Amino acid sequence: MGAVLGMVLGLGLALSFWSVSDDPSGSPRPSAGLPRALGDAAASVGLRPGALLALCGAAGLLVVLLVADVSRSASIGLVFGSAACWLPYGWARARSRRVVESRREAWPDVVDDLTSAVRAGLALPEALAQLADRGSEELRPAFARFGQEYRASGRFGPSLDLLKSELADPVGDRVVESLRIAREVGGSDLGRLLRTLSQFLREDARTRGELQSRQAWTVNGARLAVGAPWAILGLLATRPQAVAAYDSAPGALVLVVGAGVSIAAYRLMLRIGRLPVEARVLT
């Protein structure tokens, strides 16, 4: 009965925070003082950072109550509950990475569309605005807002600033600043510049894809190495002798030290195998 009550409580908390997480304007509100990674992860799933934190807490509380009720061990429940707190954040981070990779793959086609529009004789503002209909699905909202801003104000520079802020992407920064310079100084080689940029982006995406496919076995190995001992602990939690041992002070110390070593080793393996992330330098 305790496990059922815990599940109902956790589900109710999660649904409550989820229901208040969506911004009426359609995008999550930034929260001051929170890490940028948390804000990016929350935005990728349409949540405010505070709501994502609350969801993490609800998941942890649900698992603590469930495991403690099944195993009759508070220490084991706390260990598994602490790990469960990370699950919503990890899911949001994974979704955020997928969005970034999807945008990275979409940029060459967007630059090609822009090049074709410029070669067809369209003005730069018109070429950018039409990407709201012809561009990549992931990038269309940003170009749509650019078109709305330019039609409302008629000022190209501030509209480009808005576009760069909406994209929040290193590749987008380079494209936007190239267009700004071409507009201000009247460069005649814009088409050649865009074709060169498109070729470079394709080569970069292909190289990164090969590296990521080779890196996948390292990441999966790290996850397996970290998860295996705790899967065994879950099996041992069904035996009263093991539960009594882990409920003692030495047993709790073993759990804490084991959790710390697992987290440190996992983070170290991921850091060693992590690919460099391109920074925004034109903000």
Side-chain angles (χ1 to χ4, degrees):
M1 181 60 68
V4 175
L5 292 177
M7 293 178 65
V8 173
L9 175 61
L11 182 61
L13 290 173
L15 292 176
S16 298
F17 286 111
W18 191 282
S19 65
V20 301
S21 63
D22 292 334
D23 195 324
S25 64
S27 60
R29 300 175 184 173
S31 299
L34 291 174
R36 182 174 181 178
L38 176 62
D40 293 342
S44 68
V45 294
L47 296 176
R48 300 189 185 101
L52 180 58
L53 288 177
L55 190 60
C56 292
L61 178 61
L62 171 62
V63 173
V64 166
L65 294 175
L66 179 62
V67 174
D69 184 74
V70 172
S71 66
R72 303 298 179 183
S73 172
S75 58
I76 295 178
L78 287 174
V79 169
F80 280 95
S82 300
C85 286
W86 180 85
L87 292 179
Y89 175 70
W91 166 66
R93 283 291 304 273
R95 183 178 176 86
S96 178
R97 286 192 294 268
R98 287 195 297 269
V99 170
V100 171
E101 293 301 324
S102 178
R103 285 191 171 190
R104 190 187 304 277
E105 295 176 359
W107 267 115
D109 293 332
V110 171
V111 176
D112 286 343
D113 290 339
L114 185 59
T115 304
S116 300
V118 171
R119 292 180 63 185
L122 288 180
L124 272 179
E126 296 175 1
L128 286 171
Q130 77 170 3
L131 292 177
D133 300 320
R134 297 181 53 188
S136 171
E137 293 287 346
E138 295 85 358
L139 301 174
R140 284 184 183 181
F143 288 108
R145 281 187 281 271
F146 165 84
Q148 295 170 359
E149 175 65 20
Y150 183 76
R151 286 190 293 268
S153 65
R155 297 182 299 172
F156 188 64
S159 300
L160 277 182
D161 293 336
L162 175 63
L163 176 62
K164 185 164 67 171
S165 175
E166 290 286 342
L167 292 172
D169 184 86
V171 179
D173 291 343
R174 281 184 284 171
V175 173
V176 167
E177 294 303 325
S178 299
L179 297 177
R180 190 194 307 274
I181 294 174
R183 175 82 170 188
E184 292 178 354
V185 303
S188 58
D189 293 333
L190 177 60
R192 183 183 305 173
L193 182 148
L194 291 175
R195 288 193 298 272
T196 302
L197 180 59
S198 175
Q199 181 180 0
F200 171 78
L201 293 176
R202 291 184 190 280
E203 293 176 355
D204 179 71
R206 182 168 54 252
T207 303
R208 181 174 287 270
E210 294 176 356
L211 292 175
Q212 286 177 338
S213 63
R214 296 179 181 180
Q215 182 199 37
W217 70 271
T218 303
V219 176
N220 292 332
R223 291 171 178 169
L224 179 61
V226 170
W230 301 103
I232 295 175
L233 175 62
L235 296 176
L236 291 176
T238 61
R239 303 186 59 181
Q241 300 88 344
V243 171
Y246 284 115
D247 268 341
S248 63
L253 180 61
V254 169
L255 291 177
V256 172
V257 172
V261 171
S262 298
I263 293 173
Y266 182 70
R267 296 298 300 174
L268 180 60
M269 292 182 69
L270 291 184
R271 187 171 186 85
I272 292 174
R274 184 176 58 183
L275 296 177
V277 179
E278 187 176 7
R280 298 184 63 192
V281 297
L282 296 174
T283 56

